[in-house]
Amino acid sequence: MEPVKSPLVTEKIVELQGAELRTQAFGNPTSPPVLLIMGVMSSMLWWPERFCEELAAQGRYVIRYDQRDTGLSTHYPPGKPDYSFSDLSDDAIAILDGYGIEAAHLVGMSMGGFVAQEAALRHPQRVQTLTLISSSPVGVDGLPSSTPAYKEHSAAAESIDWSDLEAIADFLRRDAAMLAGTGHPHDARSAKTLIARDMERAPSFVSATNHFMLLGEDGGAKLHASRIEAPVLAIHGTSDPLFPIEHGEAFTGVVAKAKLHRIAGGGHEIHDRDIDEMTRVIAGHTAS
């Protein structure tokens, strides 16, 4: 039987001490909950609506949200984030509290994968499973760095005038192209539209650069992926230029209950043509 897409979409603001997080939920609240955590500088819009709808159609209650300094959640002055990386993992748990959810399946993309891992390590009773897309095991050294081409592109960010929104948009469009895989053509038009939506929606888009300050912290240095108790599914593109495929493969050698699903030719992205495959394996992983 073909799954029937749920038309039910709701929104909620989860209030924390000193912050508010904008959330959106898809599907039936009585279905198994799946919390989506997006990566650096990216609001919940980077979880494609079709991705959320397809996962909800397969019997999951899907929640996506704007992390601090993205989208419509609380923003802080650029260069002065009044929160830590650990606060981001606590935010994920706070969202579960806000929805009255005792435990959920966490799905993290890129930096969101690190947030999800820390949440699982610090709050193991609240996490049923982890799905880590285009991410890397926390605390594990010696894995390959980004490709030379991506390193060169990334270094160009230092010369950007971050007060010039058009310059930022241009860099992000080039970034999306650099992160694309080899399995499907890069959809530059869709990327341009998404970036414009994300920038127009945020009251202070440049504040999202605060995430890079958090990535330089060592507060989670004592955390290690080998201590993750929840079953882990690593979904990783074989052509990921930021975290090469060895990062995804490393989960199976570090985490006791981990498996890897390779996206052939996939990059550091959620490509529309890979959504059916990705949601299918996530539904299977979260079925228990």
Side-chain angles (χ1 to χ4, degrees), residues 159-171:
S159 62
I160 292 177
D161 179 359
W162 288 93
S163 65
D164 183 342
L165 292 181
E166 182 49 43
I168 296 172
D170 179 66
F171 175 80

Side-chain angles (χ1 to χ4, degrees), residues 79-116:
K80 298 179 180 179
D82 189 21
Y83 60 96
S84 69
F85 194 87
S86 291
D87 287 326
L88 295 184
S89 69
D90 288 341
D91 287 351
I93 302 303
I95 288 175
L96 300 186
D97 291 340
Y99 276 82
I101 295 171
E102 182 176 350
H105 304 277
L106 304 190
V107 179
M109 168 79 184
S110 193
M111 184 194 80
F114 290 95
V115 174

Side-chain angles (χ1 to χ4, degrees), residues 2-24:
E2 289 293 324
V4 178
K5 291 186 179 181
S6 170
L8 180 60
V9 180
T10 59
E11 295 190 359
K12 176 185 290 191
I13 295 175
V14 174
E15 297 186 359
L16 312 170
Q17 185 173 1
E20 293 183 344
L21 302 177
R22 183 65 63 97
T23 75
Q24 189 176 56

Side-chain angles (χ1 to χ4, degrees), residues 201-279:
R201 182 168 170 266
S204 175
F205 185 81
V206 70
S207 292
T209 59
N210 285 334
H211 286 179
F212 292 109
M213 298 182 66
L214 305 182
L215 293 174
E217 294 178 348
D218 60 359
K222 296 181 179 179
L223 298 177
H224 198 279
S226 62
R227 301 190 184 98
I228 294 175
E229 300 175 2
V232 169
L233 169 64
I235 299 178
H236 217 98
T238 60
S239 298
D240 189 328
L242 179 57
F243 291 135
I245 185 62
E246 288 86 353
H247 289 254
E249 294 171 341
F251 282 104
T252 61
V254 174
V255 182
K257 294 181 284 187
K259 55 187 177 181
L260 170 67
H261 182 87
R262 294 177 176 85
I263 301 293
H268 197 83
E269 60 181 346
I270 300 177
H271 196 287
D272 182 71
R273 296 189 187 180
D274 293 324
I275 287 177
D276 291 345
E277 178 181 353
M278 295 173 79
T279 56

Side-chain angles (χ1 to χ4, degrees), residues 37-56:
I37 309 172
M38 188 33 76
V40 66
M41 284 190 68
S42 302
S43 75
M44 65 177 169
L45 296 184
W46 288 80
W47 291 107
E49 287 187 11
R50 192 168 80 81
F51 180 98
C52 300
E53 292 168 350
E54 290 290 345
L55 199 50

